[in-house]
Structures are given as structure tokens and as C-alpha cells.
Amino acid sequence: MAKVEETLKRIQSQKGVQGIIIVNAEGIPIKTTMDNSSTVQYAGLIHQLMMKARSTVRDLDPQNDLTFLRVRSKKNEIMIAPDKDYFLIVIQNPTE
Amino acid sequence: MEIVYVYTKKRSEFGRQCNFSDRPAELHVDILPDPSLAANFIDKDPCDVSIQCTQEMSEHEVNTESFEYETCGINHVEGGWPKDVNPQEMEQTIRYRKKVEKDENYVNTIMQLGSHMEHCIRQNNAIDIYQEYFEEEEVAEEMDEQPSAKTINVFRDPNEIKRTATSLSWHPDGNRKLAVAYSSLVFQKATKDMSYDSYIWDIENPNKPEMTLKPVSPLVCLEYNPKDSHILVAGSYNGQITYWDTRKGSQPVETSTIEHSHRDPVYKVIWLQSKTGTDFFSASTDGQVLWWDIRKMSEPTERLVLDPSKKGSLDNALGAISLEFETTMPTKFMVGTEQGLVVSCNRKAKTPAEKIVCTYSGHHGPIYALQRNPFFPKNFLTVADWTARIWSEDIRESSIMWTKYHMAYLSDGCWSPVRPSVFFTVKMDGTLDVWDFLFKQNDPTLSLKVCDEALSSMRVQDNGRFLGCGSQLGTATLLEISSGLCTLQKNEKALATAMFERETKREKILEARHREMRLKERSRSEQSKEDETKEGEGEESVEELVAHAEREFFEIVEAEMKKWVKDEKQKQDLEKEKGVCEEKEP
């Protein structure tokens, strides 16, 4: 568990990182650095998006699978690293 | 009539099984035909009976019960907590979370994802992958296409005896119609069978002219009124001027009287800029330029005789073949003559003598086309003999730019209304030349053979893209030129201005130089006359020779001094002249 904490701390210390959320397969946020309401919002919405993206990739080529999803918007970038059971969401403000 | 059949059965026999037996046929009812009933009917002869010989088909409709659905969003408030955990209770959720965190799988997964994520984060921080490069540089649109022109439509003279298409005029609104004047300009070639008609063509329909104009004498030139697109005015072969209203039909609305019209074919008619929009003027080879008002065609409102000696006599007059009028300069106009002179005139002059301001010479033959550059009104184009020349108003002695001498006679030309450096010319060998002097000055940018016979007239449309050429056998061809030749290039105006100024300056310098040389010649010829008388006193004594040499020396000095004084005076005169000229040309 300490290793997990260490990793998250390392990520948090990177330049521009605004928040980290770890969500499980059911959409429950396990760990978060942001406030509850936005966490829940992010978790729910991104979960759906991630499902859709993954199914798209697999539909196009069944041998293929989604490894990473980046959503870049005007204000920031949302990076989602999916796995079978959990996924890690990081919101970063890319510095110019 | 009632038909009744009675059937009886015994009660005791009810319910018994049916015993079927055969029986011969019995006639129960016989209704005989009653001819008297036929009187109620009428025989229908013939009978319309429709028969169909198709497959029999039937149509059925099916409608399922409509399925109602509505769109609504889901508000995801809280994730899929397992049943035993109550999401509202903090304790339970924390406990659950802690449990998950202890899971080994969780730890491994997060480690892996974390390293991956870090990589991407670092990537983001290192470089902005969506940076826009070359944001400020405009994409330069280099149109490298070859200049080209293609024929869109050909309108042929429907008559058997072909006449020359001497003049074309585009409809002012929308350019959908083209009016073409047909006549035979060869002296006495007109036979009795030759039709006098001229036509208005719709450019979409080359098979049949949209409207026929039936004048009394063949039309040599015609023009649409730019203010009123229904009115056309035309000058005819016998010198009369006629005008049509297209709403009123093929016959002219009014014709000018023979006594007051021109004595020779009217070669050019141009509409003037006036409040009423009904003024125009015409030119003919009889030496007169007449002004008319459409409302009063019985006689011209004004008359000008093109007499260069300014005496107003018709005998000396130059025959006018083309006219030029620019609406931006309403007081001036120019006339191109048969003799090759361009006469610049002032409309507002008080006496006829003052009307003719100056002449430009340089051509060897009649000037068939004369037009000011729509962007640079000080420069005008003349098309005559085997060349086309560009002139500047200030330089009288010669043109500032000219094309080389071609093999065939040039018969018409005009500037492009959209590009200041492009102009078109047509030749007697049937070719159309497009010149772009910013691109190439020695040769036309595009030379296109339109037809085998000579081309006699041309007119470009206001958008600069389409142009019509008329040929000797009466075919009018509609051409479209490539977009490179009809879109204004960047810097074109500035470059053209610079070009014109440069050429004008060159000519000015040449003119000044010529003047100087002429002066030198004159004074030298005077000098040589004096020398001849002195040479008589030849061999003498040395003293006398010395005295002679001294005298000669002083004479030369005197002559130089005189010349110097004369030069100064000339310069002053020149400047005074220039001052006067500038006053006259506002």
C-alpha cells in the first residue's frame, strides 16, 4: 500500500497535475485527491466513456484492446489508464 | 315479382338422417325475357371498356403499434456500490474502500498504470504536441495554371447570305444576352437578298436568336443603354441612328431623319452619362461627331466637325471610326480617325475651335478601337493597323508602349475590366490575343485561333470572364477565359502604376531629347550658311590668317552664347506650355 501511496505522490508532484482518481470496475471511486462531488462526476462520466472507447477498439479489431485514453480540452487534459478491474484518471493542465 | 318455393316435411321425420337420392333436373323457375322491359334501357354504342393486361396485385397496409420513447439524461450520482454498502454512510464507504486498497491486485494494477501515466504526463510537460506551427504565415495561393480560353457557344448568322458581325454589346444586367449588329462593310457588296436584320441572342440558346431587330438599313454598331436595359441604340450603314425598346418589339421605336444624320456609315455609338440617361453620341467617317437625345431623334442636339485645322469645314475633316468616353471624365472624349490620328476633345469648350484639344499620331491606319484603361484613365489603348499601342495623355508625340508589328491587321481590342494590365485584341486572321504586359511584353500571354475567317469585333463582359468575338461570316463566338486572367493579382495595381509611370517618363525624356536635337540641327544649319560665305576668302597672309582664326573663334563663342540663351528661352517656353496644358486637362 505504501508503494501505491508513493506512486500517487510522485504523479501528484508532476507539473500541472490537478487531480488523480482511481475508479474500480463498478464505477466507485477508490482513491481521489479531489473533492467528492467532482470525483463522483468524473468517475461516472469517464467510466461510460472508457467503456465506449474500449468497445469501439475491440469492435474494430477483436485482437486489439484499449491501452490509454487521452481527452484534450481547452482547459486541461484528462488521461485515463484502463485496466481490467480498475482505472486511473489524471487531470493535467498541460503547460505551454 | 316474388319467386317462392315451398318445401314441406313431416314433423315425425325431423331429425332423421338425410337420404340423398338422385333426381333428374327439374325446372323450378323459368323467367322468360320480356322485350317490353328493354324500353327502360338505352343502347350504348360505343361502349368504353377498359381492359388491363397486368399482373393482379393487392395492396396491404401494416402498422405496428407505435413504440414511444423519450430521451432523458441520467444523473450519475454515486457509483455502483454493492448492496450491503450504503453510499450515504461514510463509515461503510470508507471501510469498503480500505478493503479494496488492501487487495494485492489493486496494488499491482496501480503500480503499472501509474508508471504508464507518469510517462504521458511527462510527455505533456515536455512538449506541447498540439502546437500550431506557422500560424501567421498565409498560404500563398499560387495559381500556376496555364492561361487558357475555351469556346462556350457559337452563334451563327441564320441568314443564307452571311454578313459581318460588326459590333457586339452585352446586356447591362446580368449579361445573359448579347446583341450583335450585322452588316456588310465592303463597299457595294450588299445584294438585294441580304437581310438587314440584327439579332439579340440569349447566350444559353445558340440555335435561335432571342429577338430580331429590323432596321431600315443594316446596323454597323449598337449599344445597350447601361441605365435602362431595354433600350438599344444603333447606328446604321446609311448614317441614320435608330433606337429600339426590346419590350416594344422588333421594329425601331424611332429613327433619326436622313437630312440631319450622318452621311456615311455610323461606326460607333456611345451612351453618355446624363441625368436623364437618354443622351448618346455617334461618330462616322463623314467627319462629324453628333450628339443626340433619344427623346428627340429628329435632329442632333450638338455637332462637331473633326477638322484639325479647327475651321469646321467638312472637306478637311477626318473621318471618325471609333469613339471613347469614360463616365468618370464626362467632359472629355476621344475620337479615333481613319487617318490614324487620335483626337482628344473637350465637350465643354465654348467654340468649336476649342473643342479639339490635341491629337496623337503614330498609327498608320484607321484606329478601330480606342479605350481608356478602366483603372488608369490617363492611359488609353488604341488598336489599328498591325499594332496595338498604349498612350499616356500627357505624351503627344508617341505612344508609351506598343506591340510588335503582326502579320495580320488588328481589327478590334479592349481592356479587361478586372485587371489593369490585361487587354485583348482580335486580328484579321481569326486569332484572339490576350496580352498581359506585366507578365510578358513581347508576345501575347495567350493567342487563340477562334475561327478561320477574319474577326471583326469583340467585346468583353463586365466581369472580365466572358468575351464575345464577331467574325466576318457573321459568327459570334462566346469564350470563357481562365480564372488566372480575370482575377486581380496582388500588387497588380501597384505594378501597373509603376509600369505606366516608368514608360511615360521614358517617353518624356525621349521627347525632350528630340527637341534638343532638333534645335541643334536648326542652329547648325544656320551656322553652315554663314560658313559658306566666309570660305570664299581663302589663302591670305599669316597675319590675316591669325586675324581670321581669331574672328572665327569669337564667332563660335558668340554662336554658343546665342544658343545657350535660346535654350534657356526654349526651356521657359516649354514650362509655360506645360503649365497651360495642365490647366486644360483637369
Side-chain angles (χ1 to χ4, degrees):
Chain A
M1 196 168 119
K3 285 190 266 180
V4 172
E5 292 293 336
E6 207 191 292
T7 312
L8 294 181
K9 217 166 256 159
R10 214 175 44 233
I11 294 175
Q12 182 79 32
S13 63
Q14 294 283 353
K15 197 158 71 143
V17 172
Q18 286 175 340
I20 312 173
I21 307 171
I22 303 174
V23 188
N24 81 342
E26 278 122 32
I28 305 169
I30 306 292
K31 193 126 184 113
T32 174
T33 61
M34 297 164 53
D35 58 287
N36 196 34
S37 52
S38 20
T39 302
V40 168
Q41 217 176 4
Y42 268 103
L45 294 166
I46 288 176
H47 185 67
Q48 292 173 45
L49 179 65
M50 224 277 299
M51 288 298 143
K52 193 72 182 179
R54 185 181 258 160
S55 71
T56 305
V57 171
R58 296 198 84 165
D59 280 346
L60 290 170
D61 178 8
Q63 313 290 334
N64 208 353
D65 195 8
L66 183 69
T67 51
F68 202 83
L69 185 63
R70 260 180 170 174
V71 181
R72 194 170 185 119
S73 70
K74 270 199 267 195
K75 298 191 180 163
N76 48 27
E77 181 163 347
I78 306 167
M79 290 175 279
I80 306 142
D83 188 73
K84 200 159 61 82
D85 300 319
Y86 304 93
F87 43 99
L88 176 65
I89 304 168
V90 174
I91 300 116
Q92 188 193 17
N93 193 357
T95 44
E96 313 299 304
Chain B
M1 187 171 97
E2 237 177 71
I3 302 172
V4 173
Y5 180 73
V6 180
Y7 165 71
T8 55
K9 193 170 184 179
K10 264 198 201 159
R11 198 141 190 266
S12 58
E13 283 177 11
F14 277 17
R16 274 213 200 141
Q17 67 177 141
C18 291
N19 284 332
F20 290 109
S21 57
D22 258 325
R23 242 204 316 181
E26 254 179 52
L27 183 64
H28 287 272
V29 181
D30 186 10
I31 306 174
L32 291 167
D34 189 358
S36 65
L37 287 175
N40 293 343
F41 298 92
I42 304 170
D43 262 342
K44 186 171 175 191
D45 186 8
C47 275
D48 276 317
V49 176
S50 48
I51 304 172
Q52 183 144 293
C53 190
T54 57
Q55 251 183 340
E56 272 193 37
M57 292 189 280
S58 65
E59 188 184 305
H60 297 282
E61 273 178 30
V62 172
N63 202 4
T64 54
E65 271 181 37
S66 66
F67 177 71
E68 283 196 24
Y69 53 88
E70 70 178 60
T71 356
C72 59
I74 300 178
N75 186 15
H76 187 115
V77 177
E78 192 64 65
W81 293 101
K83 270 204 197 129
D84 50 352
V85 177
N86 183 357
Q88 310 297 337
E89 280 204 27
M90 276 277 290
E91 259 184 52
Q92 288 184 9
T93 52
I94 290 173
R95 214 190 303 149
Y96 182 81
R97 284 199 178 107
K98 282 227 168 79
K99 194 169 68 176
V100 172
E101 281 175 18
K102 290 211 177 87
D103 187 10
E104 206 188 303
N105 187 21
Y106 168 80
V107 175
N108 289 338
T109 315
I110 297 300
M111 297 303 293
Q112 195 200 21
L113 294 179
S115 59
H116 200 166
M117 181 65 77
E118 241 180 302
H119 173 74
C120 290
I121 293 174
R122 286 218 185 95
Q123 220 176 43
N124 265 349
N125 283 331
I127 188 166
D128 179 12
I129 62 176
Y130 297 110
Q131 185 187 2
E132 185 95 33
Y133 298 115
F134 308 120
E135 221 171 35
E136 278 118 23
E137 263 191 43
E138 274 174 23
V139 181
E141 277 182 47
E142 294 265 320
M143 281 196 271
D144 282 327
E145 51 171 284
Q146 279 277 57
S148 61
K150 56 178 190 207
T151 315
I152 308 276
N153 252 333
V154 177
F155 307 96
R156 282 177 225 279
D157 187 0
N159 305 90
E160 279 214 8
I161 302 179
K162 307 282 178 199
R163 306 149 298 160
T164 319
T166 46
S167 167
L168 297 114
S169 174
W170 286 97
H171 189 98
D173 291 324
N175 295 319
R176 300 265 82 182
K177 300 199 247 197
L178 179 63
V180 187
Y182 295 91
S183 60
S184 177
L185 287 176
V186 180
F187 187 57
Q188 296 200 330
K189 192 170 179 228
T191 58
K192 258 195 247 159
D193 303 334
M194 201 177 86
S195 133
Y196 290 165
D197 297 339
S198 291
Y199 302 105
I200 297 182
W201 297 87
D202 181 341
I203 56 175
E204 312 272 303
N205 181 9
N207 301 319
K208 197 164 123 47
E210 197 190 337
M211 196 169 141
T212 316
L213 302 171
K214 294 185 192 297
V216 174
S217 150
L219 300 177
V220 179
C221 61
L222 74 124
E223 282 288 331
Y224 265 103
N225 185 346
K227 298 249 174 73
D228 181 357
S229 52
H230 299 283
I231 309 267
L232 286 130
V233 79
S236 44
Y237 194 67
N238 65 356
Q240 281 179 303
I241 312 277
T242 36
Y243 90 93
W244 276 267
D245 187 332
T246 48
R247 296 166 288 203
K248 294 202 186 134
S250 304
Q251 294 298 327
V253 177
E254 212 183 324
T255 317
S256 62
T257 47
I258 293 228
E259 309 86 52
H260 296 284
S261 309
H262 291 278
R263 303 269 140 75
D264 265 355
V266 181
Y267 280 97
K268 188 93 181 167
V269 191
I270 295 189
W271 286 92
L272 287 170
Q273 183 90 307
S274 72
K275 276 181 253 159
T276 51
T278 53
D279 292 319
F280 62 93
F281 65 145
S282 62
S284 155
T285 37
D286 63 354
Q288 297 180 73
V289 177
L290 300 173
W291 279 262
W292 307 81
D293 185 329
I294 257 204
R295 296 164 292 187
K296 186 169 159 249
M297 292 289 278
S298 50
E299 67 169 0
T301 52
E302 219 181 311
R303 181 191 298 261
L304 168 68
V305 178
L306 283 171
D307 184 6
S309 61
K310 308 199 181 172
K311 278 193 223 118
S313 71
L314 267 175
D315 301 324
N316 276 0
L318 308 162
I321 278 233
S322 51
L323 276 177
E324 189 283 325
F325 175 75
E326 179 77 28
T327 47
T328 51
M329 289 201 273
T331 55
K332 290 198 278 186
F333 66 94
M334 293 201 284
V335 186
T337 60
E338 251 185 326
Q339 286 75 9
L341 284 171
V342 177
V343 184
S344 164
C345 310
N346 184 346
R347 243 195 108 188
K348 295 285 179 225
K350 304 281 188 282
T351 66
E354 272 178 39
K355 278 229 163 126
I356 298 179
V357 172
C358 56
T359 62
Y360 302 87
S361 60
H363 274 293
H364 309 286
I367 296 183
Y368 288 111
L370 175 59
Q371 196 191 6
R372 282 185 202 265
N373 188 325
F375 294 86
F376 301 101
K378 279 217 160 224
N379 297 297
F380 57 94
L381 168 77
T382 53
V383 171
D385 55 59
W386 301 274
T387 60
R389 285 172 192 267
I390 300 180
W391 305 72
S392 163
E393 258 184 3
D394 310 320
I395 312 277
R396 306 273 165 80
E397 301 212 337
S398 80
S399 52
I400 58 173
M401 294 163 77
W402 55 90
T403 65
K404 62 172 189 225
Y405 280 85
H406 293 101
M407 299 302 286
Y409 229 65
L410 265 68
S411 48
D412 202 353
C414 62
W415 289 101
S416 161
V418 286
R419 287 193 63 186
S421 61
V422 171
F423 64 93
F424 308 93
T425 53
V426 286
K427 300 213 283 279
M428 292 299 242
D429 61 0
T431 47
L432 163 79
D433 290 329
V434 181
W435 298 80
D436 180 358
F437 61 79
L438 282 180
F439 179 66
K440 217 191 330 182
Q441 291 198 7
N442 294 335
D443 290 307
T445 308
L446 176 65
S447 187
L448 189 77
K449 185 125 173 101
V450 176
C451 50
D452 290 325
E453 64 269 12
L455 284 171
S456 52
S457 60
M458 65 157 295
R459 189 64 77 93
V460 72
Q461 234 189 43
D462 289 329
N463 58 17
R465 209 184 167 97
F466 291 96
L467 51 90
C469 312
S471 79
Q472 214 172 30
L473 291 180
T475 33
T477 319
L478 175 67
L479 294 135
E480 180 183 353
I481 50 176
S482 61
S483 52
L485 288 168
C486 54
T487 37
L488 198 58
Q489 313 280 359
K490 2 178 219 205
N491 296 339
E492 192 173 330
K493 266 204 183 159
L495 284 171
T497 321
M499 159 95 54
F500 280 130
E501 273 175 31
R502 194 179 65 220
E503 298 298 325
T504 317
K505 212 164 84 173
R506 180 183 67 105
E507 279 303 320
K508 263 205 197 117
I509 295 174
L510 280 175
E511 223 185 288
R513 187 101 214 294
H514 278 146
R515 232 180 278 252
E516 263 181 52
M517 287 192 357
R518 255 179 278 145
L519 270 172
K520 270 200 201 136
E521 280 294 321
R522 229 179 290 151
S523 58
R524 215 181 295 150
S525 61
E526 286 176 16
Q527 183 72 17
S528 62
K529 274 193 220 139
E530 289 178 22
D531 279 344
E532 273 172 15
T533 53
K534 294 230 168 72
E535 263 169 25
E537 320 163 84
E539 284 110 334
E540 281 149 73
S541 61
V542 181
E543 270 178 45
E544 274 184 359
L545 276 172
V546 169
H548 183 65
E550 262 185 300
R551 243 182 297 143
E552 263 187 58
F553 172 70
F554 280 115
E555 265 159 29
I556 289 173
V557 170
E558 295 270 331
E560 286 288 324
M561 289 265 302
K562 261 192 241 158
K563 215 184 356 158
W564 187 79
V565 168
K566 238 194 231 168
D567 265 359
E568 286 286 30
K569 233 184 93 196
Q570 280 287 340
K571 266 195 210 147
Q572 280 176 7
D573 277 355
L574 249 174
E575 275 176 22
K576 264 196 229 150
E577 256 185 54
K578 265 197 205 149
V580 168
C581 278
E582 271 161 16
E583 269 174 57
K584 270 199 187 158
E585 297 163 352

